[in-house]
Amino acid sequence: MSATSDTSAISATSATTAAPVVRHDHPTPVLGALGLFTVLLGAALPLIDFFIVNVALPTIDHDLDAGPALLELVVAGYGLAYAVLLVLGGRLGDMAGRRRLFLLGIAAFGITSLACGLAPDAWTLVGARVAQGAAAALMLPQVLATIQAATSGHRRARAMSLYGATAGLSMVAGQILGGVLVAAAPLSSVFGESAGWRSVFLVNVPVAAVGLVLAARSVPETRSERPAPIDVPGTLLLAASLVTLLAPLTEGRAAGWPLWTWVSLALFPFAAAAFYRVERRADRKGLIPLVPPSLLRLDSLRRGLSLVLPFSVGFGGFMFVIAVALQQGLKLGPAASGLSMAPMAAAFFAASLAGPGLVRRYGSRVVTAGGIIQALGVVVLVITVWRDWSGLGMLGLLPGMAIAGLGQGLQLPVLFRIVLSDVPPERAGVGGGVMTTTQQAALALGVATLGSLFLSLAPGSGMRDALAVTLLVQLGAVVLTTLLSLRLPRAVA
């Protein structure tokens, strides 16, 4: 079935079931340049904070005596709350107004970041991170929904490209910024030795305050005129599905794989199947489920998500593993570890700028080319790690990092455009929530799986061999992404 016919079918279904139509508080809402900058700032903060703690974990462990299990929770608690609540955050924006939820989310993000930075012990930090993930889930879905509802044509394509570039850069920049802040410790006169890791959270507070002021002035309000009620069964079952999968994978190794982890993994397929059945039944009855299966029939969305999943699994795992390997294996400091990502960030940014022009000329084949280039970068990194581990530093990592970043920059922004290209405006919040949930869950899954693989191999095989094996597994994910890209629609809307 073509994307056009899928869209027509969804529109017809919406008409017969009185699905929400878009209403704007302003007659013709337009997302201007300042408004776009503001929502992209809101998109950057949650992704930065997913990765910013990677280089701060050793100092958190030293200062709070956290131990491996609690350190995993500092990362996983944020990721789980974020992934579980993203689709609900998109639905709430459709109901209450996307600008209103964006303002609430960015304010809550600043407050919870302050709580993280002031946490007196490890368990308080874990609780604050969970709350921070929930705040991010309120904020991020409104970004994509606002872009979909308040832009069109060339402006929407440009905004989506910038969103993809922002997402990719934020994930790399988070690790760079974390390393610099931990090393610089700008608040050492107040917090002493713990200033470094606290800075990675406290830096969000002034940024969130600026974003709050800018959003109040520049982001237009959009919402659905007749919003659907909250899908309580769907929300609970989606939460159960993600928790039963991600919680044991992230905590299992550190906790010694106790019985609850195996029980949880055994429950996951049943929770996922129940979620799908409940959503399909609601869709057939003319209700508005949390994730409408009819939306998943859109060819562009379904095929795009099939690439976002392996791409994000590999990316999330790589960023976590490289931070641990450089600091614990090579004994690089936080700043050197973070700045080793700079070539990847620069190449990603350059590719993102060139991407829209290349897409107009070559369509989705840009994604295929990006996958091939990223695979080459990972191969270069494997060879570099294997041949020169003991003397490896920032300069040695530069070629592989730059090539991999170039390939990633040609893939991610285009994939985001493809996923949402045929989503009707009245379902912008749901479509954005589905995409960001897939991305976030996959990032967390990558940390859990590739991270556990690396940390399991390191004691027996050594850091060099463990890193090389993990990179080869990531290479498999890159190859899968490249092959799947051949199935994408050639033209990109």
Side-chain angles (χ1 to χ4, degrees):
M1 184 179 290
S2 69
T4 303
S5 60
D6 277 330
T7 305
S8 301
I10 290 176
S11 300
T13 303
S14 300
T16 57
T17 59
V21 296
V22 175
R23 177 182 67 80
H24 302 295
D25 287 3
H26 188 280
T28 54
V30 174
L31 186 66
L34 183 59
L36 179 60
F37 170 81
T38 303
V39 296
L40 291 180
L41 177 65
L45 283 175
L47 289 168
I48 286 174
D49 264 65
F50 184 86
F51 291 96
I52 200 170
V53 299
N54 284 346
V55 292
L57 290 176
T59 55
I60 293 174
D61 186 22
H62 178 268
D63 187 55
L64 300 182
D65 193 24
L70 282 181
L71 287 177
E72 294 269 7
L73 279 177
V74 170
V75 178
Y78 176 88
L80 277 172
Y82 187 18
V84 164
L85 297 174
L86 270 167
V87 178
L88 179 61
R91 175 62 58 84
L92 290 174
D94 291 345
M95 293 175 61
R98 292 152 189 156
R99 175 179 175 272
R100 181 177 299 175
L101 262 293
F102 183 82
L103 290 169
L104 177 63
I106 199 168
F109 194 84
I111 293 169
T112 53
S113 296
L114 180 64
C116 290
L118 299 179
D121 54 62
W123 278 110
T124 303
L125 177 59
V126 169
R129 282 284 283 173
V130 171
Q132 189 186 35
L138 285 180
M139 175 172 56
L140 187 63
Q142 319 317 324
V143 176
L144 284 169
T146 299
I147 289 174
Q148 289 286 95
T151 61
S152 61
H154 176 69
R155 292 184 65 253
R156 179 182 295 176
R158 178 175 174 272
M160 286 303 302
S161 294
L162 288 173
Y163 175 87
T166 300
L169 279 173
S170 298
M171 292 186 283
V172 181
Q175 214 135 305
I176 298 172
L177 180 61
V180 172
L181 287 173
V182 170
L187 301 173
S188 56
S189 60
V190 179
F191 294 106
E193 292 183 0
S194 68
W197 72 262
R198 295 184 187 277
S199 295
V200 306
F201 300 115
L202 295 176
V203 71
N204 293 327
V205 178
V207 177
V210 171
L212 195 61
V213 173
L214 293 178
R217 299 182 58 184
S218 63
V219 177
E221 181 67 284
T222 62
R223 62 160 65 89
S224 295
E225 188 173 89
R226 292 185 296 275
I230 297 297
D231 177 11
V232 176
T235 301
L236 293 177
L237 286 170
L238 176 63
S241 301
L242 292 174
V243 169
T244 53
L245 175 65
L246 295 178
L249 288 178
T250 52
E251 281 297 294
R253 186 200 59 82
W257 296 104
L259 178 62
W260 73 264
T261 59
W262 299 108
V263 172
S264 181
L265 287 172
L267 289 174
F268 164 69
F270 296 100
F275 171 70
Y276 177 74
R277 285 197 297 269
V278 165
E279 297 299 275
R280 185 177 59 179
R281 186 181 304 118
D283 211 11
R284 288 176 174 176
K285 288 181 177 179
L287 304 176
I288 310 297
L290 190 70
V291 180
S294 57
L295 195 67
L296 297 177
R297 287 199 296 269
L298 290 173
D299 192 54
S300 56
L301 183 140
R302 187 179 64 255
R303 294 190 181 188
L305 287 180
S306 72
L307 272 76
V308 170
L309 183 61
F311 179 92
S312 299
V313 167
F315 192 92
F318 170 79
M319 296 299 286
F320 175 79
V321 166
I322 199 70
V324 176
L326 294 183
Q327 288 192 85
Q328 296 185 8
L330 294 177
K331 307 302 180 184
L332 296 183
S337 174
L339 289 172
S340 296
M341 302 290 107
M344 179 177 285
F348 189 105
F349 182 66
S352 300
L353 292 179
L358 293 173
V359 167
R360 284 193 294 272
R361 185 171 181 180
Y362 300 107
S364 64
R365 291 299 172 261
V366 172
V367 178
T368 306
I372 294 171
I373 294 171
Q374 185 188 0
L376 176 61
V378 175
V379 169
V380 171
L381 283 173
V382 171
I383 294 172
T384 302
V385 166
W386 189 261
R387 293 180 58 183
D388 191 29
W389 174 250
S390 60
L392 192 58
M394 293 172 58
L395 288 178
L397 290 168
L398 191 152
M401 289 288 189
I403 296 171
L406 184 67
Q408 291 162 350
L410 291 175
Q411 293 176 81
L412 195 61
V414 184
L415 285 177
F416 285 166
R417 282 178 58 180
I418 291 171
V419 168
L420 297 178
S421 58
D422 293 323
V423 175
E426 64 269 16
R427 297 191 175 189
V430 177
V434 169
M435 188 185 76
T436 49
T437 296
T438 302
Q439 181 198 18
Q440 183 60 35
L443 289 171
L445 186 61
V447 173
T449 53
L450 295 185
S452 293
L453 172 65
F454 172 76
L455 293 173
S456 298
L457 292 174
S461 303
M463 286 280 183
R464 184 195 71 170
D465 291 0
L467 179 57
V469 170
T470 307
L471 287 172
L472 288 174
V473 173
Q474 187 203 0
L475 179 62
V478 176
V479 171
L480 176 61
T481 304
T482 307
L483 293 174
L484 289 173
S485 70
L486 299 174
R487 301 177 63 247
L488 290 173
R490 183 64 181 267
V492 179

